[in-house]
């Protein structure tokens, strides 16, 4: 069974602060995705990383895939209240079916 | 265009009742997935369809859970004799392509989920 562990589980910060969320596994993944989920909604895809060591930027969000493709991080610069939500990482292994394996999520609250 | 829709959005059931949850995927999407998301947790895979064929049901927690997609579009997840531990959000996702073994990840688009509460 492939498992993804996210840390921290909860994070409450002030507007303008920076933060990093981690997603770790003992297994190698073909690709890894980050999602954001708001209450009452399904997860919405933010980014997909495929290559070990890959870094992708989406405005104030920076995503990195570990060199060994076992871990990933999400860094948010100058957090805004609109960034509040549940952040989920999800791994995909193209030799283990088509399903996504999700981490437990990081619940972020950004206070104004 | 329309995204993935699910109905009902909320369902309250008494323990022992049967429930049926519906998913309307994006038109033309070949693959359909069901996930279960317990409160405060990430989604967990339940089952996967490619058109009408159920190719993977390894995540279904018990034989009380049954899913079908008879015409390769709309899917129904049925839970028989519901238990309190079945309380969760049930998410449906669809993707355009077949997701060939060894191939790249096909983007999955998620519906808003059905929140099931079993009393």
């Amino acid at each position: 069974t492939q498992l993804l562990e996210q840390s921290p589980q909860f994070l409450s910060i002030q507007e303008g602060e920076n933060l990093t969320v981690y997603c770790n596994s003992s297994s190698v993944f073909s690709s890894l995705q980050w999602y954001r989920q708001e209450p009452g909604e399904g997860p919405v895809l933010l980014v997909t990383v495929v290559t070990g060591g890959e870094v992708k930027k989406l405005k104030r969000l920076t995503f990195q895939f570990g060199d060994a493709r076992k871990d990933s991080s999400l860094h948010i610069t100058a957090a805004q209240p609109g960034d509040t939500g549940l952040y989920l990482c999800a791994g995909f292994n193209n030799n283990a079916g088509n399903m996504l394996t999700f981490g437990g999520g990081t619940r972020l609250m950004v206070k104004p | 265009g329309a995204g993935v829709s699910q109905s009902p959005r909320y369902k309250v059931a008494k323990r022992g009742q049967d429930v049926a949850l519906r998913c309307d995927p994006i038109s033309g999407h070949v693959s359909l997935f069901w996930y279960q998301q317990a409160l405060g947790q990430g989604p967990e895979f339940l089952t996967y369809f490619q058109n009408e064929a159920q190719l993977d049901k390894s995540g279904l927690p018990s034989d009380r859970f049954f899913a079908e997609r008879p015409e390769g579009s709309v899917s129904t997840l049925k839970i028989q004799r519901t238990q309190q531990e079945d309380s969760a959000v049930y998410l449906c996702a669809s993707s355009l392509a077949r997701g060939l073994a060894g191939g790249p990840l096909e983007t999955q688009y998620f519906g808003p989920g059905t929140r099931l509460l079993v009393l």
Side-chain angles (χ1 to χ4, degrees):
Chain A
T1 302
Q2 296 181 304
L3 295 175
L4 278 169
E5 293 190 3
Q6 284 187 241
S7 61
Q9 286 184 289
F10 302 96
L11 192 55
S12 179
I13 60 172
Q14 292 294 136
E15 181 176 2
E17 292 184 3
N18 302 331
L19 66 117
T20 302
V21 176
Y22 300 93
C23 177
N24 296 295
S25 175
S26 58
S27 302
V28 175
F29 288 96
S30 305
S31 58
L32 196 138
Q33 296 183 319
W34 285 91
Y35 289 81
R36 181 168 158 234
Q37 185 178 22
E38 300 199 45
E41 300 297 328
V44 175
L45 180 65
L46 296 174
V47 77
T48 301
V49 284
V50 179
T51 305
E54 182 177 4
V55 177
K56 281 191 174 179
K57 293 192 175 185
L58 185 66
K59 297 183 180 178
R60 293 177 293 101
L61 279 60
T62 301
F63 305 87
Q64 184 163 7
F65 201 12
D67 291 341
R69 305 207 316 275
K70 293 182 179 181
D71 54 85
S72 181
S73 64
L74 157 60
H75 182 80
I76 302 179
T77 304
Q80 305 292 313
D83 296 329
T84 293
L86 179 67
Y87 289 83
L88 295 159
C89 64
F92 173 75
N93 191 327
N94 59 14
N95 293 317
N98 290 296
M99 78 290 284
L100 293 170
T101 300
F102 281 89
T106 294
R107 190 165 298 279
L108 172 66
M109 176 175 290
V110 182
K111 294 177 282 188
Chain B
V4 177
S5 61
Q6 294 186 242
S7 60
R9 292 294 311 273
Y10 302 93
K11 177 69 179 178
V12 179
K14 292 183 178 179
R15 191 174 58 175
Q17 281 185 332
D18 298 348
V19 298
L21 312 180
R22 177 187 169 110
C23 173
D24 285 79
I26 295 173
S27 178
H29 277 199
V30 169
S31 298
L32 186 146
F33 304 80
W34 284 97
Y35 293 85
Q36 180 191 59
Q37 186 174 23
L39 187 64
Q41 302 295 320
E44 291 190 1
F45 171 77
L46 293 177
T47 186
Y48 160 63
F49 289 86
Q50 189 180 102
N51 295 309
E52 69 278 3
Q54 189 175 20
L55 298 187
D56 188 341
K57 53 182 181 179
S58 62
L60 295 176
S62 77
D63 58 7
R64 296 186 296 105
F65 286 71
F66 171 77
E68 61 183 4
R69 194 187 185 197
E71 297 179 358
S73 55
V74 171
S75 177
T76 303
L77 176 66
K78 298 179 179 179
I79 309 174
Q80 297 176 323
R81 304 181 304 281
T82 53
Q83 304 294 313
Q84 286 185 318
E85 61 263 27
D86 299 335
S87 297
V89 174
Y90 290 85
L91 294 165
C92 175
S94 69
S95 66
L96 179 60
R98 285 183 172 80
L100 297 174
L105 171 62
E106 301 292 336
T107 298
Q108 296 183 23
Y109 297 88
F110 284 83
T114 294
R115 184 175 297 275
L116 173 65
L117 177 62
V118 182
L119 302 176

